């Protein structure tokens, strides 16, 4: 592409930004001149109003021009693309103003829909990458399980990894969730965030912010983050903030990871919540057993009919629902039942709660998932963590998304599971020494391979082999959820769960 063609592409980008990014025509020359300066051009092409496909005919050729003319290294293409898109995306103040206008005139759902579409249109949410994810659903014994093999996070090549090690650690931004990420140029250790736009909201008389997750693990995956960089915590104040959120955004659910390692999420250093459209499998399940509170007879309390241990609290009176949820949090933090291995505290606190709240018309619905992160010699990764035989599928902590029935599995599994299938079809001969060799990339799957070949043989048709391996993953995900249950779905454990409800919370069984 020559210089004149580049100028035309930049004008197409301006036209696209006017149409899809709400760029004001009053900012047209300002943005255009910024682009000309970035590419060291002295004049533009004639303005145009039409454009082609954004990714393939506009932004990709523009970035490739920079690579071809040695303006950037090839491995910096994504950083450079984000810089360009940050220039053509309206500034944060303009986005907030437009969000508020839409919310006032058309409702808050229309405003979040608009922001979500903008975040996709400016490639903050990179849908071409997200669409590469492998997804399917499984009808499990307690409800649907949704599975995603996550291919959307870009893999770093060895040169990028080496460069990342040389980057100075500035401590700014303090983490991936700090509001100071807005406009950050990024580096080998930290993604560029010039395209990030956040909306100020108030929860619990504090300044918070709403933004979308760039990885979109489910529909309109939204994040509420504290203005202050402080550790995750699940307190009565946090439960109140969750209720504040769904009052402002009743079309979304919101929840918090437990604030402890193993049972918490990947970022425990910044207080934040996750939510989105009400699409998670756990929301669709019924109730296993119901209870009544003498203090609040209008509040419905139940054990959800789910894999792990969920106390469901619902009602239209905010204060009563809130106080019931707070009591559950308080009692669980001090609850020990050694008959089922639940010990609330040794030298460290072990009991925790993953709270999720949503609105059902005018009814608040809390799902409080009981968690415990204690370890022992037999379970170094956690007594209520996936057993080691399942680590080839999922070894990482099981946080809020997984416990609600949506599994985000590592991208490595796409090729590794295909390799497992090849043992079933006979494409790869089973050598008992090979998958058991720690140097083999299939070492982690040795037990799975031997089991499946033993059960099904090595002359299976490719389609059938794929189904067999997929069923294995589905069953593994169900077993992982069952591992996280502090009260297993057995008669003895459910009796212990009932004791917690009746004796701990002082409820009457119905």
């Amino acid at each position: 592409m020559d210089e004149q063609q580049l100028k035309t592409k930049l004008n197409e980008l301006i036209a696209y930004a006017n149409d899809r990014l709400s760029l004001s025509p009053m900012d047209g020359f300002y943005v255009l001149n910024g682009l000309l300066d970035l590419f060291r051009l002295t004049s533009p092409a004639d303005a145009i109003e039409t454009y082609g496909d954004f990714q393939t005919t506009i932004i990709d050729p523009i970035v490739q021009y920079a690579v071809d003319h040695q303006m950037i290294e090839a491995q910096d293409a994504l950083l450079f693309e984000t810089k360009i898109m940050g220039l053509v995306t309206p500034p944060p103040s303009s986005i907030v103003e437009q969000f508020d206008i839409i919310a006032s005139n058309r409702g808050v759902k229309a405003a979040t829909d608009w922001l979500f579409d903008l975040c996709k249109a400016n490639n903050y949410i990179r849908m071409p990458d997200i669409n590469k994810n492998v997804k399917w659903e499984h009808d499990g014994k307690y409800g649907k399980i949704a599975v995603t093999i996550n291919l959307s996070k870009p893999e770093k090549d060895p040169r990028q990894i080496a460069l990342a090690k040389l980057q100075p650690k500035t401590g700014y931004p303090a983490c991936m969730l700090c509001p100071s990420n807005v406009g950050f140029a990024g580096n080998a250790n930290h993604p560029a965030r010039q395209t990030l736009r956040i909306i100020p909201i108030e929860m619990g008389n504090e300044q918070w912010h709403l933004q979308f997750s760039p990885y979109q693990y489910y529909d309109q995956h939204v994040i509420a983050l504290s203005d202050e960089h402080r550790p995750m915590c699940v307190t009565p104040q946090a439960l109140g903030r969750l209720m504040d959120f769904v009052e402002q955004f009743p079309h979304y659910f919101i929840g918090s990871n437990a604030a402890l390692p193993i049972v918490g999420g990947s970022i425990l250093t910044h207080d934040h919540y996750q939510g989105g459209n009400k699409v998670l499998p756990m929301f669709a399940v019924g109730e296993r057993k119901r209870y009544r509170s003498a203090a609040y007879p209008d509040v419905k309390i139940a054990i959800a009919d789910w894999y792990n241990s969920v106390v469901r609290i619902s009602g239209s009176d905010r204060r009563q629902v809130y106080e019931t949820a707070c009591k559950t949090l308080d009692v669980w933090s001090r609850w020990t039942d050694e008959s089922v291995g639940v010990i609330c505290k040794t030298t460290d606190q072990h009991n925790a709660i993953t709270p999720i709240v949503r609105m059902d018309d005018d009814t608040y619905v809390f799902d409080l998932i009981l968690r415990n992160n204690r370890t022992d010699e037999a379970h170094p990764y956690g007594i209520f963590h996936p057993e080691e035989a399942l680590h080839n599928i999922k070894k990482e902590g099981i946080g809020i998304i997984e416990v609600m029935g949506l599994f985000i599995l590592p991208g490595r599994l796409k090729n590794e599971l295909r390799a497992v299938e090849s043992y079933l079809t006979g494409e790869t001969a089973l050598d008992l020494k090979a998958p058991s060799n720690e140097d083999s990339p299939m070492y982690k799957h040795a037990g799975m391979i031997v089991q499946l070949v033993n059960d099904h043989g090595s002359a299976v048709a490719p389609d059938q082999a794929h189904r067999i391996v997929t069923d294995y993953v589905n069953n593994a995900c169900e077993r992982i959820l069952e591992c996280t249950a502090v009260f297993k779905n057995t008669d003895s454990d459910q009796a212990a769960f009932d004791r917690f409800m009746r004796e701990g919370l002082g409820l009457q069984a119905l």
Side-chain angles (χ1 to χ4, degrees), residues 7 23 25 35 44 59 127 135 148 155 174 195 203 243 271 323 333 335 360 374 383 393 416 442 482 502:
K7 291 179 179 182
L23 180 67
L35 291 171
I59 195 63
M127 291 308 298
K135 298 182 178 182
T148 295
E155 297 289 340
T195 51
M203 298 191 300
M243 299 181 86
D271 208 5
E323 291 183 2
S333 70
W335 188 259
D360 184 1
R374 189 166 66 89
I383 295 171
I393 303 300
E416 291 175 3
M442 297 304 291
E482 290 171 337
R502 290 185 297 103

Side-chain angles (χ1 to χ4, degrees), residues 238-303:
L239 300 185
R241 286 192 289 266
L242 296 179
M243 299 181 86
D244 289 345
F245 183 92
V246 295
E247 287 174 355
Q248 296 176 68
F249 304 97
H251 55 295
Y252 286 154
F253 79 90
I254 194 72
S256 172
N257 266 303
L260 294 178
I262 299 176
V263 297
S266 58
I267 300 179
L268 297 179
T269 56
H270 196 108
D271 208 5
H272 71 285
Y273 312 132
Q274 299 184 62
N277 279 344
K278 303 168 189 176
V279 295
L280 279 297
M282 187 184 69
F283 298 156
V285 303
E287 298 166 347
R288 183 173 301 166
K289 193 167 184 177
R290 296 181 180 181
Y291 297 85
R292 176 181 179 274
S293 166
Y296 301 125
D298 293 332
V299 174
K300 296 179 180 179
I301 307 166
I303 294 173

